[in-house]
Amino acid sequence: MDIFTSSAAFTLVANSTLAVKIVLILLVLMSIFSWSIIFSKLYIFLIAKRDNKNFAHYFENEVVGLKGLEVKLNEYRKKACARVIYVAFKELKRIEQTSLPLNLKLKILEENLKRALINGRQIELSNLKKTIPFLATCSNAAPFIGLFGTVWGIMHSFHSIGLQKSASLATVAPGISEALIATAVGLAVAIPATMAYNYFLTKLQDVDKDFAILGNMFLNLVQRNLIFFKEKEGE
């Protein structure tokens, strides 16, 4: 009998002990959840990369001033890249509305905006990181959960051997085969979870670099528009 055929595998699972069945159900649930995370994060990172590229193109070719940027931020308000910039833009508006002398405003401007951009990046990266740690949990825990099911199944097999007082291959093989399925399923859960986790860590770094570039573009825009403060001060 080929244990890798679907009918044989279902037969082995059906004949396994309750503990092994519970382990297999847990592993299947972990697999379903991990694959849902993988597909959703692939889509999210694809959209984030596209939005970052479009926003960088806007900074390079279309933006003409802070007023125009404000309109664009409102248009892109649901995008992560715009929310990063908007945190700093709000800080810019707060500084502009203070009653501090112009020279003091300019003195605190750059550092305040840099801190605001860092805060915005951390908030958006935290949102992107959500559920990704579960992949690491699957990667680390699934093989051991499967191994537990295997050990339990083998213990049950040896117990059955003792009761039957027979150690023939026909007696031993079915129990060990059904026990080893738990290890195989555990590895099937862990391997894609490990690969996806490492991939998404790389994508997070890429998105963070994009956010940093957009932040620098925003700072450059502000420095080119320092006349904005002088005009307000003269009103």
Side-chain angles (χ1 to χ4, degrees):
M1 180 178 62
D2 183 4
I3 64 170
F4 294 103
T5 62
S6 58
S7 59
F10 281 121
T11 300
L12 290 174
V13 171
N15 294 332
S16 62
T17 63
L18 178 61
V20 174
K21 288 178 181 176
I22 293 174
V23 166
L24 291 174
I25 291 172
L26 177 59
L27 289 172
V28 169
L29 292 176
M30 291 173 67
S31 179
I32 292 172
F33 193 25
S34 65
W35 276 107
S36 67
I37 292 172
I38 291 170
F39 286 123
S40 65
K41 289 300 180 183
L42 284 173
Y43 175 76
I44 289 171
F45 280 112
L46 178 65
I47 297 300
K49 189 67 178 179
R50 185 197 65 185
D51 292 340
N52 291 344
K53 182 179 180 180
N54 291 341
F55 213 70
H57 180 271
Y58 169 76
F59 268 114
E60 291 176 350
N61 301 287
E62 299 178 33
V63 66
V64 293
L66 294 172
K67 291 295 184 182
L69 176 61
E70 186 173 13
V71 172
K72 195 69 174 180
L73 289 174
N74 289 329
E75 178 185 341
Y76 270 60
R77 61 186 178 274
K78 294 183 179 180
K79 309 295 185 182
C81 54
R83 291 195 295 266
V84 170
I85 303 300
Y86 189 68
V87 172
F89 189 82
K90 286 197 300 182
E91 179 63 20
L92 177 66
K93 299 291 285 185
R94 292 190 190 101
I95 295 174
E96 179 248 325
Q97 292 169 3
T98 62
S99 58
L100 296 173
L102 178 59
N103 62 336
L104 187 54
K105 287 181 181 180
L106 297 178
K107 184 177 180 180
I108 67 174
L109 177 64
E110 184 175 0
E111 289 301 318
N112 280 30
L113 293 185
K114 285 182 178 179
R115 284 193 291 268
L117 287 169
I118 291 173
N119 290 341
R121 285 166 57 187
Q122 293 302 319
I123 291 171
E124 295 307 321
L125 287 175
S126 295
N127 291 335
L128 289 172
K129 287 178 183 176
K130 287 180 180 178
T131 68
I132 290 180
F134 182 79
L135 296 176
T137 300
C138 289
S139 173
N140 294 323
F144 293 102
I145 295 174
L147 183 60
F148 170 78
T150 296
V151 171
W152 188 276
I154 290 176
M155 288 171 56
H156 181 265
S157 296
F158 279 112
H159 180 68
S160 299
I161 291 170
L163 292 177
Q164 296 177 20
K165 298 180 180 180
S166 174
S168 65
L169 185 61
T171 303
V172 176
I176 294 179
S177 296
E178 70 187 39
L180 289 174
I181 284 181
T183 296
V185 174
L187 291 175
V189 174
I191 291 172
T194 301
M195 296 174 65
Y197 178 74
N198 292 330
Y199 174 77
F200 289 137
L201 287 184
T202 301
K203 299 304 291 184
L204 279 170
Q205 293 173 357
D206 290 342
V207 171
D208 190 31
K209 290 177 183 177
D210 290 342
F211 287 162
I213 291 171
L214 291 174
N216 289 333
M217 288 180 171
F218 171 72
L219 292 176
N220 291 340
L221 174 65
V222 171
Q223 290 183 351
R224 291 195 303 267
N225 287 266
L226 285 179
I227 188 66
F228 173 78
F229 286 101
K230 295 179 181 179
E231 290 175 351
K232 288 291 183 181
E233 189 72 12
E235 290 179 356

